[in-house]
Amino acid sequence: MDSVLQSLRGVCAALPEVSERVSHGEPAWFAGGKKMFVMFADHHHDDRLGFWCAAPPGVQEDLAAADPRRFFRPPYVGHRGWLGVYLDVAVDWDEIGEIVEDAYRMVAAKRLVAELDRRIA
């Protein structure tokens, strides 16, 4: 679990102006220190290890339907379109990076998204 958390922490921390703090008893990451975009879920509401994140419209439904072994609708925030991602299965960290970046883009201020785009260009 520690190595999975460290890997997720590294993916999140690589984005502009990200801060980490505990929210609801779990590590969570905030864009610009204000808006949460990822929350670690260490058996938070079930017996699975994963994370919950903001997601573009329709992504939660598409991914959870296509591969329910890896993706799910998380409690409490699922109705807002957030995506649940299991981390107790084979993990493609490049894909996780893309999912986390999309989550960041959903909540980050425009100036932070522009900074991310400059880094990528």
Side-chain angles (χ1 to χ4, degrees), residues 9-59:
R9 181 174 278 137
V11 170
C12 293
L15 299 166
E17 292 186 36
V18 167
S19 61
E20 177 183 338
R21 63 182 180 268
V22 173
S23 179
H24 300 87
E26 303 280 9
W29 293 269
F30 297 79
K34 298 177 184 174
K35 293 189 174 183
M36 184 189 315
F37 66 101
V38 170
M39 183 175 128
F40 192 63
D42 182 10
H43 307 93
H44 191 74
H45 290 282
D46 59 20
D47 61 347
R48 304 286 309 267
L49 179 66
F51 70 93
W52 306 350
C53 65
V59 168

Side-chain angles (χ1 to χ4, degrees), residues 55-83:
V59 168
Q60 175 209 96
E61 295 83 2
D62 291 347
L63 291 178
D67 194 351
R69 293 170 295 125
R70 294 177 49 224
F71 303 104
F72 64 99
R73 180 183 179 179
Y76 307 112
V77 293
H79 71 279
R80 294 191 343 227
W82 277 50
L83 174 67

Side-chain angles (χ1 to χ4, degrees), residues 77-99:
V77 293
H79 71 279
R80 294 191 343 227
W82 277 50
L83 174 67
V85 180
Y86 290 124
L87 295 172
D88 56 3
V89 296
V91 176
D92 177 343
W93 284 103
D94 289 334
E95 179 183 45
I96 297 299
E98 293 170 10
I99 290 169

